[in-house]
Amino acid sequence: MASAVGPLRVPKPKGVPPSHYYESFLEKKGPRDKDYKKFWAGLQGLTICFYNSNRDFQPLEKLDLRTFVKLTESIPQVSSRDSGIHLTLVLRTQEVKFKVESLESREMWKGFILTVVELRVPSNLTLLPGHLYMMAEVLTKEEARRAGQVPSCFMKVSRLEAQLLLERYPECGNLLLRPSGDGTEGGVSVTTRQMLNGAPVIRHYKVKLDGPKYVIDVEDPFPCASLDAVVNYFVSQTKRALVPFLLDEDYEKVLGYVEADKENGESLWVAPSIPGPGPITPASVPKLPPPAPVPVASQDKLPPLPPLPPLPIEDENYVTPIEDSSAVDYVNQDVSSCSRPAIPKPKKLAKLPVKPPKLPIVPKPEPKVINSVPARKLVGSSPQAVFLATRLGDVTAELEEKLQKRRALEH
Protein backbone atom coordinates (compact mmCIF):
# COMPACT_ATOMS: atom_id res chain seq x y z
CA MET A 1 0.00 0.00 0.00
CA ALA A 2 1.49 3.28 -1.08
CA SER A 3 2.09 5.82 1.62
CA ALA A 4 0.54 9.27 1.41
CA VAL A 5 2.71 11.93 -0.11
CA GLY A 6 3.61 14.60 2.43
CA PRO A 7 3.44 18.31 1.67
CA LEU A 8 6.33 19.76 -0.24
CA ARG A 9 8.84 21.74 1.78
CA VAL A 10 9.15 25.29 0.64
CA PRO A 11 12.57 26.72 1.47
CA LYS A 12 12.45 29.79 3.62
CA PRO A 13 13.47 32.93 1.78
CA LYS A 14 16.84 34.10 3.06
CA GLY A 15 17.43 37.72 3.86
CA VAL A 16 19.71 39.93 1.88
CA PRO A 17 23.19 40.02 3.43
CA PRO A 18 24.07 43.47 4.72
CA SER A 19 26.53 45.61 2.82
CA HIS A 20 29.45 46.88 4.93
CA TYR A 21 32.34 49.19 4.17
CA TYR A 22 34.50 46.95 6.33
CA GLU A 23 33.86 43.89 8.52
CA SER A 24 35.79 41.48 10.74
CA PHE A 25 35.71 39.86 14.17
CA LEU A 26 35.85 42.34 17.00
CA GLU A 27 35.73 42.00 20.77
CA LYS A 28 33.67 44.69 22.45
CA LYS A 29 33.37 45.91 26.05
CA GLY A 30 30.80 48.56 26.82
CA PRO A 31 30.53 50.76 29.94
CA ARG A 32 28.19 48.22 31.57
CA ASP A 33 30.03 45.07 30.49
CA LYS A 34 32.32 43.24 32.89
CA ASP A 35 34.36 41.55 30.18
CA TYR A 36 34.88 41.54 26.43
CA LYS A 37 32.42 39.77 24.18
CA LYS A 38 33.29 38.62 20.67
CA PHE A 39 31.12 39.74 17.73
CA TRP A 40 31.19 39.82 13.99
CA ALA A 41 31.24 43.59 13.35
CA GLY A 42 30.59 45.60 10.21
CA LEU A 43 30.76 49.31 9.36
CA GLN A 44 27.61 50.49 7.60
CA GLY A 45 27.50 54.22 6.95
CA LEU A 46 27.86 55.96 10.30
CA THR A 47 26.86 52.83 12.23
CA ILE A 48 28.84 49.87 13.54
CA CYS A 49 26.67 46.74 13.61
CA PHE A 50 27.42 43.71 15.80
CA TYR A 51 26.32 40.14 14.95
CA ASN A 52 26.65 36.74 16.56
CA SER A 53 28.32 35.33 13.47
CA ASN A 54 29.11 36.27 9.89
CA ARG A 55 26.00 34.35 8.75
CA ASP A 56 23.54 36.58 10.61
CA PHE A 57 21.66 39.27 8.75
CA GLN A 58 20.16 41.23 11.64
CA PRO A 59 22.46 43.00 14.12
CA LEU A 60 22.20 42.45 17.85
CA GLU A 61 23.65 45.83 18.76
CA LYS A 62 24.50 49.10 17.05
CA LEU A 63 26.82 52.01 17.71
CA ASP A 64 25.97 55.42 16.26
CA LEU A 65 29.07 57.28 15.11
CA ARG A 66 27.25 60.60 14.73
CA THR A 67 28.25 61.34 18.34
CA PHE A 68 31.91 60.58 17.61
CA VAL A 69 34.49 62.44 19.70
CA LYS A 70 37.81 60.67 19.23
CA LEU A 71 39.52 57.33 18.63
CA THR A 72 42.52 56.37 20.74
CA GLU A 73 44.87 53.41 21.17
CA SER A 74 44.76 51.97 24.66
CA ILE A 75 47.69 50.02 26.07
CA PRO A 76 46.89 47.20 28.54
CA GLN A 77 48.46 47.23 31.97
CA VAL A 78 51.86 45.60 32.49
CA SER A 79 50.56 43.22 35.16
CA SER A 80 47.68 42.13 32.96
CA ARG A 81 47.91 38.83 31.09
CA ASP A 82 45.88 40.27 28.23
CA SER A 83 48.13 40.43 25.19
CA GLY A 84 45.48 41.71 22.79
CA ILE A 85 45.59 44.93 20.81
CA HIS A 86 43.15 47.51 22.17
CA LEU A 87 41.29 50.42 20.66
CA THR A 88 39.04 52.90 22.48
CA LEU A 89 36.11 54.65 20.78
CA VAL A 90 34.99 57.75 22.67
CA LEU A 91 31.47 58.92 21.91
CA ARG A 92 29.56 61.83 23.35
CA THR A 93 27.62 59.71 25.81
CA GLN A 94 29.80 56.64 26.36
CA GLU A 95 33.20 55.04 25.91
CA VAL A 96 33.53 51.66 24.20
CA LYS A 97 36.65 49.50 24.19
CA PHE A 98 37.60 47.13 21.38
CA LYS A 99 40.12 44.33 21.17
CA VAL A 100 41.38 43.15 17.77
CA GLU A 101 43.53 40.26 16.59
CA SER A 102 46.36 42.15 14.89
CA LEU A 103 47.89 45.56 14.31
CA GLU A 104 46.65 45.53 10.74
CA SER A 105 43.05 44.99 11.94
CA ARG A 106 43.39 47.91 14.36
CA GLU A 107 44.70 50.24 11.62
CA MET A 108 41.92 49.15 9.27
CA TRP A 109 39.23 49.91 11.82
CA LYS A 110 40.78 53.27 12.64
CA GLY A 111 41.08 54.21 8.97
CA PHE A 112 37.52 53.33 7.97
CA ILE A 113 35.94 54.93 11.05
CA LEU A 114 37.84 58.19 10.52
CA THR A 115 37.05 58.17 6.81
CA VAL A 116 33.26 58.08 7.30
CA VAL A 117 33.31 60.47 10.25
CA GLU A 118 35.64 63.14 8.88
CA LEU A 119 34.92 62.49 5.18
CA ARG A 120 38.59 62.23 4.35
CA VAL A 121 41.17 59.47 4.15
CA PRO A 122 43.57 59.71 7.08
CA SER A 123 47.23 60.00 6.19
CA ASN A 124 48.89 58.90 9.43
CA LEU A 125 48.13 55.18 9.19
CA THR A 126 50.59 52.36 8.60
CA LEU A 127 48.70 50.67 5.77
CA LEU A 128 49.41 49.45 2.28
CA PRO A 129 48.37 51.52 -0.78
CA GLY A 130 45.65 48.98 -1.55
CA HIS A 131 44.09 49.61 1.85
CA LEU A 132 44.16 53.37 1.29
CA TYR A 133 42.52 52.89 -2.08
CA MET A 134 39.71 50.92 -0.41
CA MET A 135 39.15 53.83 1.97
CA ALA A 136 39.04 56.29 -0.94
CA GLU A 137 36.27 54.23 -2.51
CA VAL A 138 34.39 54.21 0.81
CA LEU A 139 34.74 57.98 0.97
CA THR A 140 33.10 58.35 -2.46
CA LYS A 141 30.23 56.08 -1.47
CA GLU A 142 29.67 57.86 1.81
CA GLU A 143 29.64 61.29 0.16
CA ALA A 144 27.10 60.06 -2.39
CA ARG A 145 24.96 58.56 0.37
CA ARG A 146 24.92 61.74 2.43
CA ALA A 147 24.29 63.96 -0.60
CA GLY A 148 20.73 62.67 -0.82
CA GLN A 149 20.07 62.91 2.92
CA VAL A 150 19.31 65.76 5.26
CA PRO A 151 21.80 66.05 8.12
CA SER A 152 20.58 64.94 11.52
CA CYS A 153 21.34 68.40 12.95
CA PHE A 154 18.85 70.06 10.57
CA MET A 155 15.62 71.12 12.28
CA LYS A 156 12.69 73.18 11.08
CA VAL A 157 12.87 75.82 13.80
CA SER A 158 13.18 79.59 13.93
CA ARG A 159 16.26 81.53 15.01
CA LEU A 160 14.96 81.97 18.55
CA GLU A 161 13.95 78.32 18.84
CA ALA A 162 17.39 77.24 17.65
CA GLN A 163 19.03 79.36 20.32
CA LEU A 164 16.75 77.89 22.99
CA LEU A 165 17.49 74.31 21.88
CA LEU A 166 21.23 74.85 22.01
CA GLU A 167 20.91 76.51 25.42
CA ARG A 168 18.64 73.88 26.91
CA TYR A 169 20.52 70.80 25.63
CA PRO A 170 24.23 71.70 25.58
CA GLU A 171 25.21 68.04 25.90
CA CYS A 172 23.56 67.28 22.52
CA GLY A 173 25.80 69.60 20.49
CA ASN A 174 26.38 73.26 19.69
CA LEU A 175 25.77 73.48 15.92
CA LEU A 176 22.31 73.42 14.34
CA LEU A 177 21.02 73.82 10.78
CA ARG A 178 17.67 75.49 10.18
CA PRO A 179 15.70 77.02 7.30
CA SER A 180 16.83 80.47 6.23
CA GLY A 181 14.90 83.28 7.85
CA ASP A 182 15.09 85.69 4.90
CA GLY A 183 12.80 83.56 2.75
CA THR A 184 15.51 82.49 0.30
CA GLU A 185 14.37 79.35 -1.53
CA GLY A 186 16.55 76.40 -0.63
CA GLY A 187 18.76 78.49 1.63
CA VAL A 188 19.66 77.46 5.17
CA SER A 189 21.20 79.10 8.21
CA VAL A 190 23.71 77.76 10.71
CA THR A 191 23.35 78.62 14.40
CA THR A 192 26.23 77.96 16.82
CA ARG A 193 26.58 78.45 20.56
CA GLN A 194 29.90 78.35 22.45
CA MET A 195 31.04 79.44 25.90
CA LEU A 196 33.69 82.16 26.30
CA ASN A 197 34.83 82.93 29.84
CA GLY A 198 31.53 81.64 31.22
CA ALA A 199 29.38 83.70 28.85
CA PRO A 200 27.50 82.20 25.85
CA VAL A 201 28.53 83.33 22.37
CA ILE A 202 25.85 82.79 19.71
CA ARG A 203 26.56 83.17 16.00
CA HIS A 204 24.39 82.80 12.89
CA TYR A 205 25.73 82.05 9.39
CA LYS A 206 23.96 82.19 6.03
CA VAL A 207 24.23 79.42 3.44
CA LYS A 208 22.95 80.21 -0.07
CA LEU A 209 21.84 77.73 -2.70
CA ASP A 210 23.71 78.49 -5.93
CA GLY A 211 22.59 75.97 -8.52
CA PRO A 212 23.45 72.44 -7.35
CA LYS A 213 25.84 73.69 -4.67
CA TYR A 214 25.55 75.36 -1.28
CA VAL A 215 27.74 78.41 -0.72
CA ILE A 216 28.69 79.40 2.84
CA ASP A 217 28.46 83.20 2.99
CA VAL A 218 31.69 84.12 4.82
CA GLU A 219 34.60 86.46 3.96
CA ASP A 220 35.93 83.83 1.58
CA PRO A 221 32.77 82.08 0.26
CA PHE A 222 33.14 78.30 0.33
CA PRO A 223 31.06 76.04 -1.97
CA CYS A 224 29.79 72.66 -0.74
CA ALA A 225 28.20 69.82 -2.67
CA SER A 226 25.62 68.99 0.03
CA LEU A 227 24.29 70.10 3.39
CA ASP A 228 26.34 67.39 5.04
CA ALA A 229 29.44 68.94 3.49
CA VAL A 230 28.37 72.26 5.01
CA VAL A 231 28.25 70.68 8.46
CA ASN A 232 31.59 68.98 7.89
CA TYR A 233 33.14 72.34 6.88
CA PHE A 234 32.17 73.97 10.19
CA VAL A 235 33.34 70.96 12.19
CA SER A 236 36.72 70.67 10.45
CA GLN A 237 37.47 74.42 10.33
CA THR A 238 36.89 74.75 14.11
CA LYS A 239 39.04 71.69 14.94
CA ARG A 240 35.94 69.83 16.10
CA ALA A 241 35.03 72.57 18.59
CA LEU A 242 31.61 72.66 16.93
CA VAL A 243 29.57 69.47 17.38
CA PRO A 244 26.45 68.81 15.28
CA PHE A 245 23.30 68.94 17.39
CA LEU A 246 21.71 65.53 17.87
CA LEU A 247 19.00 64.76 20.39
CA ASP A 248 19.58 61.52 22.25
CA GLU A 249 17.36 58.70 21.04
CA ASP A 250 18.42 55.68 23.06
CA TYR A 251 15.11 53.82 22.76
CA GLU A 252 13.92 51.65 19.92
CA LYS A 253 10.49 52.17 18.36
CA VAL A 254 9.98 48.60 17.06
CA LEU A 255 9.84 45.47 19.21
CA GLY A 256 12.19 42.74 18.01
CA TYR A 257 13.94 39.58 19.19
CA VAL A 258 16.54 37.03 18.06
CA GLU A 259 15.26 33.74 16.69
CA ALA A 260 17.41 30.76 15.61
CA ASP A 261 16.61 29.04 12.32
CA LYS A 262 16.05 25.31 12.99
CA GLU A 263 17.27 24.26 9.56
CA ASN A 264 20.62 26.04 9.23
CA GLY A 265 21.15 27.31 12.78
CA GLU A 266 21.41 30.94 11.75
CA SER A 267 20.20 33.66 14.09
CA LEU A 268 17.65 36.06 12.69
CA TRP A 269 16.30 39.31 14.05
CA VAL A 270 12.52 39.13 13.99
CA ALA A 271 10.32 42.21 14.31
CA PRO A 272 6.72 40.94 14.34
CA SER A 273 3.91 43.26 13.48
CA ILE A 274 1.68 43.57 16.51
CA PRO A 275 -1.93 44.24 15.50
CA GLY A 276 -3.55 47.08 17.30
CA PRO A 277 -6.79 46.74 19.21
CA GLY A 278 -9.86 46.66 17.04
CA PRO A 279 -12.84 48.96 17.39
CA ILE A 280 -14.84 48.52 20.54
CA THR A 281 -18.42 47.52 19.97
CA PRO A 282 -21.17 48.80 22.27
CA ALA A 283 -21.82 45.26 23.52
CA SER A 284 -18.24 44.87 24.72
CA VAL A 285 -18.22 48.11 26.66
CA PRO A 286 -18.40 47.24 30.37
CA LYS A 287 -21.02 48.93 32.44
CA LEU A 288 -19.72 51.60 34.73
CA PRO A 289 -20.10 50.78 38.46
CA PRO A 290 -22.20 53.12 40.59
CA PRO A 291 -20.23 56.06 41.91
CA ALA A 292 -18.65 55.38 45.26
CA PRO A 293 -19.47 57.75 48.10
CA VAL A 294 -16.93 60.52 48.39
CA PRO A 295 -15.26 60.49 51.81
CA VAL A 296 -15.53 63.71 53.78
CA ALA A 297 -12.43 65.22 55.32
CA SER A 298 -12.07 64.96 59.08
CA GLN A 299 -12.33 68.71 59.55
CA ASP A 300 -15.47 68.90 57.43
CA LYS A 301 -17.32 66.02 59.11
CA LEU A 302 -20.78 66.96 60.40
CA PRO A 303 -21.84 66.19 64.01
CA PRO A 304 -24.07 63.13 64.46
CA LEU A 305 -27.78 63.78 64.17
CA PRO A 306 -29.95 63.29 67.29
CA PRO A 307 -32.23 60.26 67.30
CA LEU A 308 -35.67 60.84 65.83
CA PRO A 309 -38.66 60.67 68.22
CA PRO A 310 -40.93 57.65 67.84
CA LEU A 311 -43.85 58.18 65.55
CA PRO A 312 -47.36 58.01 67.08
CA ILE A 313 -49.37 54.88 66.59
CA GLU A 314 -51.82 55.17 63.78
CA ASP A 315 -54.66 53.66 65.83
CA GLU A 316 -54.55 56.43 68.44
CA ASN A 317 -56.05 59.83 67.64
CA TYR A 318 -53.17 61.75 69.12
CA VAL A 319 -53.82 65.48 69.57
CA THR A 320 -51.21 67.93 70.74
CA PRO A 321 -52.67 69.73 73.84
CA ILE A 322 -52.93 73.49 73.82
CA GLU A 323 -50.79 73.83 76.96
CA ASP A 324 -47.82 72.16 75.12
CA SER A 325 -47.89 74.62 72.25
CA SER A 326 -45.02 76.61 73.79
CA ALA A 327 -42.78 73.54 73.69
CA VAL A 328 -42.91 73.26 69.90
CA ASP A 329 -39.44 72.99 68.36
CA TYR A 330 -38.59 75.50 65.67
CA VAL A 331 -35.88 75.31 63.08
CA ASN A 332 -34.21 78.54 64.15
CA GLN A 333 -34.53 77.86 67.91
CA ASP A 334 -30.96 76.40 68.31
CA VAL A 335 -28.16 78.70 67.26
CA SER A 336 -25.19 76.74 65.91
CA SER A 337 -21.60 77.73 66.53
CA CYS A 338 -19.50 79.40 63.85
CA SER A 339 -17.25 76.39 63.46
CA ARG A 340 -20.02 73.97 62.63
CA PRO A 341 -22.80 74.40 60.10
CA ALA A 342 -26.37 74.56 61.35
CA ILE A 343 -28.34 71.37 60.91
CA PRO A 344 -32.11 71.69 60.57
CA LYS A 345 -33.95 69.41 62.96
CA PRO A 346 -36.57 67.15 61.50
CA LYS A 347 -40.10 68.37 61.97
CA LYS A 348 -42.53 66.28 63.94
CA LEU A 349 -45.33 64.90 61.88
CA ALA A 350 -48.35 64.86 64.15
CA LYS A 351 -51.54 63.29 62.97
CA LEU A 352 -54.28 65.85 62.69
CA PRO A 353 -57.53 65.04 64.54
CA VAL A 354 -60.68 64.36 62.62
CA LYS A 355 -62.63 66.98 64.61
CA PRO A 356 -61.29 69.83 66.76
CA PRO A 357 -61.73 69.30 70.54
CA LYS A 358 -64.68 71.05 72.27
CA LEU A 359 -63.88 73.53 74.97
CA PRO A 360 -65.63 73.00 78.38
CA ILE A 361 -68.68 75.25 78.95
CA VAL A 362 -68.52 77.20 82.25
CA PRO A 363 -72.05 77.93 83.80
CA LYS A 364 -72.93 81.53 84.48
CA PRO A 365 -73.45 82.36 88.19
CA GLU A 366 -77.15 82.93 89.27
CA PRO A 367 -77.65 86.24 91.16
CA LYS A 368 -80.50 85.05 93.34
CA VAL A 369 -81.84 81.82 94.66
CA ILE A 370 -85.36 81.39 93.41
CA ASN A 371 -86.25 78.32 95.38
CA SER A 372 -84.72 76.12 97.97
CA VAL A 373 -83.83 73.49 95.48
CA PRO A 374 -80.21 72.40 95.99
CA ALA A 375 -77.72 73.97 93.70
CA ARG A 376 -77.26 72.38 90.39
CA LYS A 377 -74.21 70.33 89.85
CA LEU A 378 -71.46 71.98 87.91
CA VAL A 379 -70.56 70.56 84.71
CA GLY A 380 -67.53 68.41 84.99
CA SER A 381 -66.36 65.90 87.52
CA SER A 382 -63.14 67.49 88.67
CA PRO A 383 -62.40 67.88 92.45
CA GLN A 384 -62.77 71.66 92.23
CA ALA A 385 -66.32 71.35 90.86
CA VAL A 386 -67.34 68.91 93.63
CA PHE A 387 -65.96 71.23 96.29
CA LEU A 388 -67.89 74.25 94.96
CA ALA A 389 -71.14 72.29 94.76
CA THR A 390 -70.88 71.17 98.42
CA ARG A 391 -70.31 74.72 99.75
CA LEU A 392 -73.25 76.15 97.79
CA GLY A 393 -75.55 73.50 99.18
CA ASP A 394 -74.64 74.41 102.82
CA VAL A 395 -75.26 78.13 102.27
CA THR A 396 -78.69 77.49 100.75
CA ALA A 397 -79.81 75.33 103.67
CA GLU A 398 -78.75 77.97 106.21
CA LEU A 399 -80.62 80.77 104.41
CA GLU A 400 -83.73 78.66 104.14
CA GLU A 401 -83.67 77.97 107.91
CA LYS A 402 -83.34 81.69 108.78
CA LEU A 403 -86.18 82.57 106.45
CA GLN A 404 -88.55 80.11 108.15
CA LYS A 405 -87.71 81.54 111.62
CA ARG A 406 -88.48 85.11 110.43
CA ARG A 407 -91.84 84.07 109.03
CA ALA A 408 -92.76 82.35 112.32
CA LEU A 409 -92.04 85.53 114.31
CA GLU A 410 -94.25 87.63 112.01
CA HIS A 411 -97.27 85.39 112.62
Side-chain angles (χ1 to χ4, degrees), residues 36 73-86 99:
Y36 285 91
E73 300 175 6
S74 56
I75 301 175
Q77 300 178 0
V78 179
S79 60
S80 177
R81 297 181 181 179
D82 188 3
S83 59
I85 300 173
H86 297 263
K99 188 165 60 172

Side-chain angles (χ1 to χ4, degrees), residues 236-306:
S236 60
Q237 291 296 318
T238 58
K239 298 180 181 180
R240 306 192 69 84
L242 293 178
V243 180
F245 186 83
L246 178 64
L247 287 175
D248 294 333
E249 296 181 358
D250 297 334
Y251 300 97
E252 296 290 338
K253 303 299 183 181
V254 180
L255 176 64
Y257 60 93
V258 179
E259 184 180 25
D261 193 344
K262 297 181 180 179
E263 294 184 358
N264 52 20
E266 295 181 356
S267 298
L268 300 177
W269 182 263
V270 182
S273 59
I274 303 176
I280 302 176
T281 58
S284 61
V285 178
K287 295 183 178 180
L288 297 177
V294 180
V296 183
S298 59
Q299 59 182 0
D300 299 333
K301 287 185 178 180
L302 300 177
L305 296 175

Side-chain angles (χ1 to χ4, degrees), residues 308-322:
L308 297 176
L311 297 176
I313 304 175
E314 296 180 359
D315 297 338
E316 298 179 1
N317 294 327
Y318 180 80
V319 179
T320 303
I322 299 176

Side-chain angles (χ1 to χ4, degrees), residues 34-87:
K34 296 182 179 180
D35 201 357
Y36 285 91
K37 186 177 181 180
K38 193 171 184 180
F39 293 96
W40 177 260
L43 179 61
Q44 190 177 34
L46 285 173
T47 306
I48 301 178
C49 303
F50 299 91
Y51 308 84
N52 274 334
S53 67
N54 56 359
R55 296 182 299 176
D56 295 343
F57 295 159
Q58 297 294 335
L60 300 177
E61 299 180 21
K62 291 182 180 181
L63 274 180
D64 193 352
L65 296 178
R66 291 180 298 178
T67 59
F68 175 85
V69 177
K70 61 181 179 178
L71 193 62
T72 60
E73 300 175 6
S74 56
I75 301 175
Q77 300 178 0
V78 179
S79 60
S80 177
R81 297 181 181 179
D82 188 3
S83 59
I85 300 173
H86 297 263
L87 186 67

